[in-house]
Amino acid sequence: MRLAVALIGAACLAACDTGTEQRDDIASTRTVQRPYLPVPPGTIARGAAARQAALAPPGPEVTRDVMARGEERFRAFCSPCHGSTGRGDGTVVSRGFPPPLSYHEERLLSLSPEQIVQVITNGKGRMFPYADRVLPEERWAIAHYVKALQAKGAGLAPDRGAARP
Ligand code: HEC
């Protein structure tokens, strides 16, 4: 497997045109533009298998470090909309973005960490995917942190954050 990956990598290095070699011939302020080439059928992007494996449930063991990472990533990527307690009252919402449901709504309480990882990977409805910004293992960490937020909020009335003062 490793050998196959290495071979593909070597073939790619040999064959791939990086688009930089012509730059010396033209004014340095001009960008080299190439037509979009679709990915050939049957091609697997480098690292795709590792990414897939990292996304497979049940994900990494939930340790203190994983939770700390989840909290840190949640604050960076999710709280702007979902709010720091997950009630849908982040700053982006206060500037007019449609408010997401509170994580403490009945339906969202039943989401599994795996389903939350899928929402981060693929987006949902008006929420964009975060696959290009959040690493697979970080998605699990965030998902467990969201479940912890929900557990912490248990007993509080579910509400829509935006409706709060
Ligand atoms: C730009 C704002 C925004 C950001 C940032 C954002 N979300 Fe969302 N999220 C939304 C909105 C809006 C919805 C409701 C989508 C809909 O139903 O149309 C949503 C819905 C969800 C849901 C519920 C999905 C369901 O089943 O209805 C989950 C879980 C979720 N987001 C998790 C996250 C996590 C985790 C992050 C951080 C990686 C994140 N979101 C970042 C706006 C955002």
Side-chain angles (χ1 to χ4, degrees):
M1 177 63 199
R2 236 182 231 165
L3 179 66
V5 171
L7 282 177
I8 293 170
C12 191
L13 277 182
C16 289
D17 177 352
T18 60
T20 53
E21 71 284 80
Q22 286 177 12
R23 288 198 44 196
D24 294 340
D25 304 338
I26 53 175
S28 62
T29 51
R30 273 178 47 201
T31 320
V32 178
Q33 295 230 332
R34 295 188 182 284
Y36 170 71
L37 295 176
V39 177
T43 310
I44 297 173
R46 234 190 280 183
R51 264 198 303 281
Q52 213 52 48
L55 280 177
E61 198 191 331
V62 186
T63 60
R64 202 180 280 243
D65 281 355
V66 165
M67 286 303 268
R69 184 81 179 134
E71 175 170 10
E72 192 256 320
R73 297 281 91 183
F74 177 86
R75 287 183 189 280
F77 288 106
C78 320
S79 70
C81 292
H82 288 278
S84 56
T85 60
R87 292 184 177 274
D89 53 359
T91 48
V92 173
V93 171
S94 70
R95 307 238 161 97
F97 193 84
L101 274 186
S102 166
Y103 288 158
H104 307 278
E105 292 272 344
E106 191 107 6
R107 183 175 68 76
L108 298 196
L109 287 175
S110 67
L111 289 181
S112 65
E114 186 184 350
Q115 287 171 312
I116 298 174
V117 166
Q118 276 173 11
V119 172
I120 303 174
T121 304
N122 304 315
K124 168 129 193 194
R126 287 159 298 165
M127 181 181 142
F128 310 108
Y130 280 79
D132 57 345
R133 275 158 283 183
V134 181
L135 294 172
E137 52 276 25
E138 294 177 338
R139 290 176 219 165
W140 283 107
I142 292 174
H144 289 300
Y145 182 70
V146 168
K147 294 310 291 178
L149 274 183
Q150 289 179 326
K152 227 192 209 171
L156 300 176
D159 62 19
R160 279 175 173 268
R164 282 153 41 106

